[in-house]
Amino acid sequence: MDTVAKLSEYTKECDYEMRVIGVPKTIDNDLVVTDHTPGFASAAKYIATTVTECIRDCAVYKTKAVTVIEIMGRDAGWLTASAGIPRAFGGETPDLIYLPERAFNKEEFFEDLRALLDKKPNVVVAVSEGIRFADGTYVCEGFGIASTDVFGHKQLSGTGKALEYAIKAELGCKVRSVELNIVQRCASHIASRVDIEESVRVGRTAIKAASDGVTRQMMTIERVSTEPYWVEISHRDVSEIANKVKHVPAEFINERGNHITDECARYLLPLIRGELDVKYENGIPKHITI
Amino acid sequence: MDTVAKLSEYTKECDYEMRVIGVPKTIDNDLVVTDHTPGFASAAKYIATTVTECIRDCAVYKTKAVTVIEIMGRDAGWLTASAGIPRAFGGETPDLIYLPERAFNKEEFFEDLRALLDKKPNVVVAVSEGIRFADGTYVCEGFGIASTDVFGHKQLSGTGKALEYAIKAELGCKVRSVELNIVQRCASHIASRVDIEESVRVGRTAIKAASDGVTRQMMTIERVSTEPYWVEISHRDVSEIANKVKHVPAEFINERGNHITDECARYLLPLIRGELDVKYENGIPKHITI
């Protein structure tokens, strides 16, 4: 969006009529002004589905165990928050959810884990890759986990891996970490219908706006109502958006900072509703390459 | 299946009439005698789908990069071989596929990677977690990658991670590793219809066999024909099966040991055909708990 602003100014200076419109797409959902960004809802649907499946998998075993699921999001916790969507309808969610918007408190974390393991054999924890301690150190650095490669170069392990080792050392129980990695951004076989339909509307409205003379704007999705879910596609000046990050707001995180609120789950739920009629060929979804 | 044998013998010794029938289920597909095992085909479908999506994701970037995808399978490479199924219909597969059935040759691996990176910017490699060097050392141990936790305890990294660091050190390009982890065994939203239908048939036939007096047997799936795909459900003495491992046969791996053969892909393809009509509720697949 910063490029949209610069390009618009440059063409204006040159007195060259070119209309520049930013069409957002990011699974991170970290752009301000717009209610959410195209792409986010499909990743959220994948995450809610996959985490639910992992919870079912873990529930099979009776041995005390902790499973840590690392989800993308360096600065904004939207994707990780999506693991908690089933709260909205009384479904199963991870026992603990940590977002980068709140400082990660190691003592409270182990306290909560111990209390949970006293009550049930399997505990599932969802964490954003970008969670940090109160002093700003990333959890993936701050637990003192160091990997060295064949040349002795230090390699940074992931947040999930760092927590896996730390929990193992602290509680001594079985611990596993799962990193959803790039799969969460490319699992098109389980895209959200709301996401795909809105993306098409955003693209079409952008073309229309440009041909109407609009420039230096970013397309936005404005939420009119949550139940029933209703949005309108509009656009806003890019200077309102460029270089800003939309964080998960305080009221979407519980007091202890270890889960999302019902309000957050209800807000996210309509985005993951609806499926596409995926075309399979030879047992796998057909991709179209242009 | 070893337990089925022991239990059958014990009840026979005690002169207690209890019929014991082994009903197999393992995504690893490593049981002998049966053509394949219930569960395998659904994991294979998930792997073929997800790896195809990862290949699409990687193709977006023009910077030279290697993506290593680690797939389950300590001793048998069936799951990793599934990443190559699209060969059967001229679809995209990882550039390189390594199974535990063949010794991993580091020099040839780097040679193949270099040749591929000369021709294209993105190389995707699928590896079984259990691949070993010719001397029997696991690749995850043999590359000299050591992680130490907060107490200085050495932790073994995964095979994908070990290869990631090794490729980075050797080639200096961008490298990423993705571990499909437990998701590949619990992604029921993309189960294979063939798998689910066969599993039901196997269960039903087992009950029928037991009530007919059969004991000390394991249920088997016998392939009658590949095209058209046709199987019959039968059973065989567990002593033929217990404590044996079914490896991917030599003719299913190419000469260089870095991919599967067309024959392997054609053999696996019918297993992943067909989808279930997954019931979604509130945007995620509905799980039934009993």
Side-chain angles (χ1 to χ4, degrees):
Chain A
M1 295 311 144
D2 191 40
T3 311
V4 171
K6 283 175 180 156
L7 211 52
S8 308
E9 274 144 37
Y10 180 73
T11 52
K12 200 179 166 188
E13 271 172 36
C14 300
D15 205 24
Y16 174 66
E17 203 206 349
M18 182 171 86
R19 294 149 193 178
V20 192
I21 298 199
V23 183
K25 66 96 205 147
T26 164
I27 62 160
D28 289 329
N29 194 36
D30 57 353
L31 297 187
V32 294
V33 180
T34 187
D35 180 74
H36 57 276
T37 52
F40 167 64
S42 290
K45 187 184 185 80
Y46 170 83
I47 290 165
T49 297
T50 300
V51 171
T52 303
E53 289 172 341
C54 288
I55 293 171
R56 178 78 48 245
D57 183 275
C58 296
V60 172
Y61 306 97
K62 297 294 166 217
T63 325
K64 284 210 181 293
V66 178
T67 302
V68 180
I69 304 175
E70 180 186 328
I71 298 167
M72 280 180 172
R74 202 78 185 154
D75 298 305
W78 294 105
L79 289 170
T80 307
S82 307
I85 292 177
R87 267 193 96 108
F89 50 88
E92 281 176 302
T93 68
D95 299 286
L96 301 168
I97 297 179
Y98 297 95
L99 312 185
E101 281 80 0
R102 284 283 279 274
F104 183 77
N105 183 316
K106 191 161 63 171
E107 286 71 32
E108 286 185 8
F109 173 60
F110 287 130
E111 205 179 287
D112 292 345
L113 268 187
R114 282 204 181 84
L116 282 159
L117 286 166
D118 276 349
K119 284 188 292 184
K120 53 189 286 199
N122 284 287
V123 175
V124 177
V125 184
V127 297
S128 283
E129 57 177 335
I131 53 168
R132 270 160 271 195
F133 294 111
D135 68 0
T137 322
Y138 282 105
V139 167
C140 61
E141 297 169 315
F143 264 122
I145 317 292
S147 293
T148 45
D149 67 14
V150 66
F151 297 118
H153 298 149
K154 208 178 152 184
Q155 302 279 352
L156 202 60
S157 73
T159 304
K161 215 34 146 183
L163 283 173
E164 177 190 323
Y165 293 163
I167 299 165
K168 229 176 250 172
E170 181 76 19
L171 303 182
C173 65
K174 186 173 154 55
V175 192
R176 175 196 290 125
S177 65
V178 180
E179 191 186 343
L180 297 189
N181 215 311
I182 57 164
V183 185
Q184 67 199 290
R185 74 177 183 212
C186 62
S188 57
H189 72 274
I190 192 166
S192 151
R193 176 177 282 274
V194 164
D195 185 33
I196 302 304
E197 287 177 352
E198 282 180 356
S199 299
V200 171
R201 279 176 68 196
V202 166
R204 279 200 182 130
T205 317
I207 300 287
K208 175 80 170 55
S211 68
D212 288 350
V214 171
T215 188
R216 213 182 181 281
Q217 301 264 311
M218 183 189 87
M219 300 309 296
T220 56
I221 298 172
E222 294 181 11
R223 190 183 293 219
V224 179
S225 155
T226 289
E227 279 299 344
Y229 178 70
W230 190 255
V231 296
E232 273 169 17
I233 310 301
S234 186
H235 48 77
R236 294 274 281 272
D237 195 288
V238 282
S239 60
E240 293 180 60
I241 297 144
N243 307 316
K244 286 171 192 153
V245 173
K246 186 177 73 180
H247 292 288
V248 176
E251 66 269 24
F252 278 8
I253 305 172
N254 73 357
E255 214 180 315
R256 180 84 168 172
N258 66 5
H259 220 287
I260 61 164
T261 59
D262 290 342
E263 188 185 348
C264 178
R266 282 194 299 263
Y267 169 84
L268 292 172
L269 178 59
L271 304 185
I272 67 163
R273 279 204 189 120
E275 293 74 47
L276 292 182
D277 182 21
V278 179
K279 301 288 173 226
Y280 282 79
E281 212 172 83
N282 291 302
I284 63 170
K286 189 170 166 55
H287 290 196
I288 295 156
T289 45
I290 303 167
Chain B
M1 295 311 145
D2 190 42
T3 310
V4 171
K6 284 175 180 156
L7 211 52
S8 308
E9 273 145 38
Y10 180 72
T11 51
K12 201 179 166 189
E13 272 171 35
C14 301
D15 205 22
Y16 174 67
E17 202 207 348
M18 183 171 88
R19 296 152 193 175
V20 193
I21 298 201
V23 183
K25 66 97 206 145
T26 165
I27 61 160
D28 289 329
N29 194 37
D30 57 353
L31 298 186
V32 294
V33 180
T34 186
D35 180 75
H36 57 278
T37 52
F40 167 64
S42 290
K45 188 184 184 80
Y46 170 83
I47 289 165
T49 297
T50 300
V51 170
T52 303
E53 289 171 342
C54 288
I55 293 171
R56 179 78 48 245
D57 182 277
C58 295
V60 172
Y61 306 98
K62 298 291 165 220
T63 325
K64 286 212 179 292
V66 178
T67 302
V68 180
I69 304 177
E70 180 188 327
I71 298 167
M72 281 180 172
R74 202 81 183 150
D75 298 305
W78 294 105
L79 289 170
T80 307
S82 307
I85 292 177
R87 266 192 97 107
F89 49 88
E92 282 178 300
T93 67
D95 300 286
L96 301 167
I97 297 179
Y98 297 96
L99 313 185
E101 281 81 0
R102 284 282 280 271
F104 183 77
N105 183 316
K106 191 160 65 171
E107 286 70 33
E108 286 185 7
F109 174 60
F110 288 132
E111 204 179 288
D112 292 345
L113 268 186
R114 282 203 181 87
L116 282 160
L117 285 166
D118 276 348
K119 284 188 291 184
K120 54 189 287 201
N122 283 287
V123 175
V124 177
V125 184
V127 296
S128 284
E129 57 177 334
I131 53 169
R132 269 160 274 195
F133 294 110
D135 68 0
T137 321
Y138 282 106
V139 167
C140 62
E141 297 170 315
F143 263 123
I145 318 292
S147 293
T148 45
D149 67 13
V150 66
F151 297 117
H153 297 150
K154 206 178 154 184
Q155 302 279 353
L156 202 59
S157 73
T159 304
K161 213 38 147 183
L163 283 174
E164 177 191 324
Y165 294 164
I167 299 166
K168 229 177 250 171
E170 180 76 18
L171 303 182
C173 65
K174 186 172 154 56
V175 192
R176 176 198 287 124
S177 65
V178 180
E179 192 187 343
L180 298 187
N181 214 310
I182 58 165
V183 183
Q184 67 199 288
R185 74 176 183 214
C186 62
S188 56
H189 72 273
I190 192 166
S192 150
R193 174 177 282 274
V194 163
D195 185 33
I196 302 303
E197 288 177 352
E198 283 180 355
S199 299
V200 170
R201 280 176 69 195
V202 166
R204 279 200 181 129
T205 316
I207 300 287
K208 175 79 170 52
S211 69
D212 287 351
V214 171
T215 187
R216 213 180 182 282
Q217 300 266 311
M218 182 188 89
M219 301 308 296
T220 55
I221 298 173
E222 293 180 12
R223 189 183 294 218
V224 179
S225 155
T226 289
E227 280 297 344
Y229 178 71
W230 190 255
V231 295
E232 274 170 16
I233 311 301
S234 188
H235 47 77
R236 293 274 280 273
D237 194 288
V238 283
S239 60
E240 293 180 60
I241 297 143
N243 307 316
K244 287 172 191 153
V245 173
K246 186 178 72 180
H247 293 288
V248 175
E251 66 270 24
F252 278 8
I253 304 173
N254 72 358
E255 213 180 316
R256 180 85 169 173
N258 66 5
H259 219 288
I260 61 164
T261 58
D262 290 342
E263 188 185 349
C264 178
R266 283 194 299 264
Y267 168 84
L268 292 172
L269 178 60
L271 304 184
I272 68 163
R273 281 206 188 119
E275 292 74 49
L276 292 182
D277 182 22
V278 179
K279 301 288 174 225
Y280 282 79
E281 211 173 83
N282 291 301
I284 63 170
K286 190 171 166 54
H287 291 196
I288 296 157
T289 45
I290 304 166

